[in-house]
Amino acid sequence: MSFSSAYLQENDIELTQEDYMFYGDSIKLLEGARNNLTEMILQLRKEQIEINHSDPVDHYKSRIKNAKHMQDKLHRYKLPETLEAALYKVYDAIGFRVVCTFMSDIYIVCNWFRNQTNIKVINEKDYIKSPKPSGYRSYHMIIEIVVEQVTVYAEIQIRTLAMDCWASLEHKLKYKHEIRHQEMMVTELKRCADEIASTDLNLEAIKEIILEDMK
């Protein structure tokens, strides 16, 4: 089962005619699942504020992968460029990114999703404890949710503000331009990722000290 680290586009990008043609009637299932997951995230935030007086989510984004990007991915994975493969082979026709303030918030969100009875977590990958060679850090979950008695899959990426900043900049630097000094670029991006991870740990420690003083 594959996990994507691609940069998730902004919320509510309008789907094109080509997207509707590719997904057909299944677009209603994808939109329904997306709406349900959005409501779940809102419920998570509400519960955590009531219980812990703290919102673990700074913001979140979601998208339905457009037809061209989906077909490109299927081609890269040597899968048939069909609706069935798009929905049941790559698992990220729906994508959510949940951005948290602190590293500990990531695991609060993960645990909350695991405990929900109306979804099933079918795979997880912790790129925080085991970063990718590029330095990429995030927590990925593949979940299944039933909409109109049909199973729909979605990928949820959970990361801190600092991790999200790095991923966004890395995407723009690496994929939007021709790179003359590839090796140097890779090394520098990895160094920046490690420095950002160190900052995340320091901020977590500061938060714990403040919380301890408030007791």
Side-chain angles (χ1 to χ4, degrees):
M1 181 173 296
S2 65
F3 288 88
S4 169
S5 60
Y7 183 69
L8 186 66
Q9 300 301 314
E10 298 289 341
N11 283 357
D12 302 324
I13 290 179
E14 186 175 351
L15 295 175
T16 66
Q17 183 178 358
E18 288 75 14
D19 300 327
Y20 284 105
M21 288 178 62
F22 180 76
Y23 288 112
D25 290 340
S26 295
I27 198 72
K28 296 178 182 178
L29 299 175
L30 297 176
E31 289 174 340
R34 185 184 182 191
N35 291 338
N36 290 349
L37 286 168
T38 297
E39 289 297 322
M40 291 177 66
I41 292 172
L42 295 176
Q43 182 63 29
L44 156 67
R45 302 180 77 173
K46 180 181 177 182
E47 287 185 9
Q48 288 299 313
I49 290 171
E50 290 176 352
I51 296 169
N52 298 320
H53 309 289
S54 177
D55 185 352
V57 177
D58 182 85
H59 66 276
Y60 63 92
K61 299 178 180 180
S62 67
R63 62 98 181 97
I64 295 174
K65 188 186 285 289
N66 71 43
K68 183 181 184 306
H69 289 165
M70 177 60 78
Q71 289 167 328
D72 288 346
K73 182 169 186 176
L74 293 170
H75 179 75
R76 290 197 309 272
Y77 281 64
K78 295 181 171 54
L79 293 168
E81 296 174 30
T82 63
L83 175 61
E84 183 178 2
L87 297 181
Y88 300 110
K89 295 296 183 181
V90 293
Y91 305 104
D92 69 340
I94 303 168
F96 271 79
R97 185 194 305 138
V98 180
V99 180
C100 302
T101 308
F102 297 103
M103 197 177 301
S104 57
D105 293 332
I106 293 174
Y107 296 98
I108 290 173
V109 174
C110 292
N111 289 331
W112 190 88
F113 275 115
R114 290 191 200 104
N115 291 327
Q116 300 312 297
T117 58
N118 52 343
I119 66 169
K120 181 180 180 182
V121 178
I122 61 172
N123 210 335
E124 302 176 67
K125 187 69 175 181
D126 190 341
Y127 292 118
I128 300 168
K129 293 180 179 176
S130 300
K132 289 191 173 186
S134 64
Y136 175 85
R137 289 168 170 83
S138 187
Y139 199 103
H140 290 197
M141 307 179 88
I142 299 293
I143 65 97
E144 62 179 37
I145 183 170
V146 176
V147 180
E148 297 180 8
Q149 299 183 319
V150 177
T151 298
V152 180
Y153 295 94
E155 182 183 53
I156 303 172
Q157 302 174 359
I158 311 164
R159 58 180 70 156
T160 64
L161 285 160
M163 294 172 193
D164 191 53
C165 177
W166 181 90
S168 175
L169 292 173
E170 191 257 3
H171 174 81
K172 291 178 180 179
L173 291 171
K174 190 173 181 180
Y175 297 105
K176 298 297 183 182
H177 305 284
E178 292 294 328
I179 303 173
R180 289 184 298 160
H181 306 290
Q182 177 78 22
E183 186 174 344
M184 182 189 72
M185 177 69 76
V186 170
T187 300
E188 286 301 299
L189 285 170
K190 173 65 165 57
R191 181 182 62 80
C192 289
D194 292 343
E195 290 180 355
I196 286 173
S198 177
T199 299
D200 259 336
L201 289 172
N202 290 336
L203 290 170
E204 186 74 34
I206 292 170
K207 183 194 76 169
E208 291 301 321
I209 292 171
I210 292 172
L211 291 176
E212 186 66 27
D213 288 345
M214 291 173 63
K215 290 181 180 179

